[in-house]
Amino acid sequence: MTTSSDLLFSSFSFGPLSLPNRVVMAPLTRCRAGEGNVPTELIARYYEQRASAGLIVSEASQVSQQGTGYVGTPGIYTDAQVEGWRLVTDAVHRAGGRIFLQLWHVGRSSHVSFQPDRQAPVSSSAVRIRAGHAHTPEGPQPYSTPRALEIHEIPGVVGQFEAGARRAKAAGFDGVELHSANGYLIDQFLRDGVNQRTDRYGGSVQNRARLLLEIVEAVTGVFGADRVGARLSPRSEYNDMSDSDPAELFSHVATELSERRLAYLHVVEPLEGRALDAPERVTPLLRARFRGAFIVNGGYTREAAEEALRTGAADLVSFGAPFIANPDLPERLARRAPLNAPDVSTFYAGGPRGYIDYPRLDEAQPAAAGAG
Ligand SMILES: Cc1cc2nc3c(=O)[nH]c(=O)nc-3n(C[C@H](O)[C@H](O)[C@H](O)COP(=O)(O)O)c2cc1C
């Protein structure tokens, strides 16, 4: 008899990849990169510990200095960064895993202190983030007002992603995910709460999707479409984002990405207690339009993940915070074992603490037994 648990721990193939289970590690910024935004041995150990995931999507990695918005995030635009990432991909592959790099440009979520010559960060339009603060080397600061990219500069931005994909390939990644979610540069073009352009990159949904599709064309030219995924967050308000009609916009985007035969679509839409097919949810509309592998994310438990797979709402489910605290998450889910609780205070700082010291199930048992 097939049970729902057989689905979460059954294999899945897309393109040239064969995944041993459907438990994906979501991209998680941890701010542990070394000097020059270079990945280190510490980062390699962290990913190696999590290599039992069906697929790891790396933390977001900026494609340029212009695309940087946080302290300690790794880059993918220098030779030293490629060498650092090679430590990570080698460690994950040795441990039997697969890993994609998440390509990132933060756009207006930056601050002048990260920019060359303290220039203004760039975006689709000169609309500043009002909510929250930029996390600068000098501590929290109000976000800088961005400047709108000139139309002649856009090929250069596409080129940053293309170069990032080339370097990701040189570093040994199995593929790349475009970070087109969570209010960063690509999302700043997609959604009309920010994008006020009147040229061919603004206005209609076709125009607002243009930057993403140009980046897709460039990056699939490097990796092949079957090794490229994209992440979308159709209703997220993070980074002061909004859109007048997310269902229309993101349905168009899913259709276009499907035509370009992208390996997967990774959709972030927190469940927040709603049914998977609740009418306000955008995810089911995208599932219906996208033919490749479909990954869902946002507050999934083992039970919700199984339901998503059983009902055909998704092919794969990604887990964020649970993977921070549980290096052996697939095994714990399979055995219905208790999960370690994540320590929020070490999400973005703390070196090895709260990073590579969460116990595996077989390490946790002696500690628990020691109490008796
Ligand atoms: C510490 C932390 C860092 C994150 N960094 C990224 C990131 O680099 N890229 C990204 O697309 N999402 C990032 N996210 C969002 C997660 O990938 C995921 O969407 C979110 O945690 C919800 O999934 P969960 O409920 O399973 O944790 C981050 C989330 C957390 C908690």
Side-chain angles (χ1 to χ4, degrees):
M1 191 184 93
T2 302
T3 65
S4 51
S5 64
D6 291 323
L7 286 176
L8 198 47
F9 307 104
S10 63
S11 60
F12 182 76
S13 294
F14 64 88
L17 296 185
S18 180
L19 317 186
N21 61 59
R22 317 281 184 111
V23 181
V24 174
M25 180 174 168
L28 292 160
T29 290
R30 305 302 309 277
C31 302
R32 262 81 167 179
E35 189 68 30
N37 302 87
V38 173
T40 61
E41 287 284 359
L42 176 70
I43 296 181
R45 291 292 78 72
Y46 162 80
Y47 283 109
E48 180 182 28
Q49 289 176 340
R50 287 156 181 78
S52 64
L55 176 69
I56 296 173
V57 183
S58 83
E59 64 208 275
S61 305
Q62 60 268 9
V63 293
S64 61
Q65 186 184 340
Q66 183 193 65
T68 308
Y70 302 84
V71 177
T73 56
I76 188 70
Y77 57 93
T78 70
D79 292 347
Q81 290 162 354
V82 171
E83 280 173 39
W85 278 122
R86 177 54 84 172
L87 301 174
V88 174
T89 61
D90 281 349
V92 169
H93 290 149
R94 264 198 314 271
R98 295 138 298 279
I99 181 166
F100 274 38
L101 178 87
Q102 193 184 45
L103 292 170
W104 190 32
H105 189 307
V106 305
R108 69 174 186 159
S109 303
S110 185
H111 183 265
V112 291
S113 57
F114 293 109
Q115 296 296 313
D117 304 324
R118 292 185 70 86
Q119 293 166 21
V122 300
S123 186
S124 55
S125 301
V127 181
R128 194 175 75 85
I129 302 181
R130 287 145 304 171
H133 286 93
H135 303 277
T136 79
E138 294 82 41
Q141 301 279 337
Y143 281 101
S144 308
T145 301
R147 68 177 182 82
L149 279 162
E150 300 285 341
I151 198 159
H152 67 81
E153 295 177 292
I154 290 182
V157 171
V158 174
Q160 291 176 19
F161 279 88
E162 182 175 0
R166 277 189 208 292
R167 289 190 186 275
K169 199 172 189 183
F173 283 95
D174 298 299
V176 288
E177 175 176 293
L178 301 177
H179 196 347
S180 14
N182 298 352
Y184 296 109
L185 183 68
I186 297 174
D187 208 16
Q188 292 159 27
F189 275 76
L190 289 174
R191 293 203 258 175
D192 60 12
V194 184
N195 187 339
Q196 303 174 349
R197 300 178 75 95
T198 53
D199 60 14
R200 65 178 193 278
Y201 292 90
S204 65
V205 295
Q206 288 79 6
N207 282 355
R208 284 184 276 135
R210 194 177 306 282
L211 175 67
L212 169 59
L213 298 178
E214 288 179 357
I215 291 171
V216 165
E217 189 182 343
V219 168
T220 55
V222 175
F223 260 105
D226 58 359
R227 290 179 182 271
V228 177
R231 197 168 213 229
L232 302 171
S233 57
R235 294 194 308 131
S236 170
E237 295 171 5
Y238 183 67
N239 273 322
D240 220 355
M241 293 300 291
S242 64
D243 189 78
S244 57
D245 192 345
E248 188 204 5
L249 168 64
F250 287 99
S251 294
H252 169 72
V253 170
T255 304
E256 294 292 319
L257 295 178
S258 189
E259 278 176 16
R260 285 160 181 79
R261 307 211 169 271
L262 240 56
Y264 70 77
L265 200 56
H266 190 173
V267 181
V268 187
E269 189 175 30
L271 284 174
E272 290 161 347
R274 292 188 185 84
L276 286 168
D277 59 353
E280 62 272 40
R281 283 174 59 77
V282 175
T283 303
L285 303 176
L286 309 193
R287 170 60 156 169
R289 283 163 179 77
F290 187 77
R291 277 170 299 185
F294 200 77
I295 312 178
V296 292
N297 170 259
Y300 280 78
T301 58
R302 182 192 201 281
E303 291 68 32
E306 286 176 358
E307 189 193 341
L309 299 177
R310 191 177 63 244
T311 59
D315 299 307
L316 302 153
V317 180
S318 77
F319 296 83
F323 249 119
I324 290 179
N326 297 278
D328 53 349
L329 185 65
E331 186 187 348
R332 285 177 188 257
L333 294 177
R335 292 172 60 176
R336 297 178 190 270
L339 301 185
N340 300 320
D343 170 11
V344 178
S345 73
T346 51
F347 273 8
Y348 302 108
R353 205 166 45 84
Y355 191 54
I356 57 162
D357 56 358
Y358 286 106
R360 303 173 60 89
L361 210 45
D362 53 7
E363 296 166 335
Q365 276 159 352

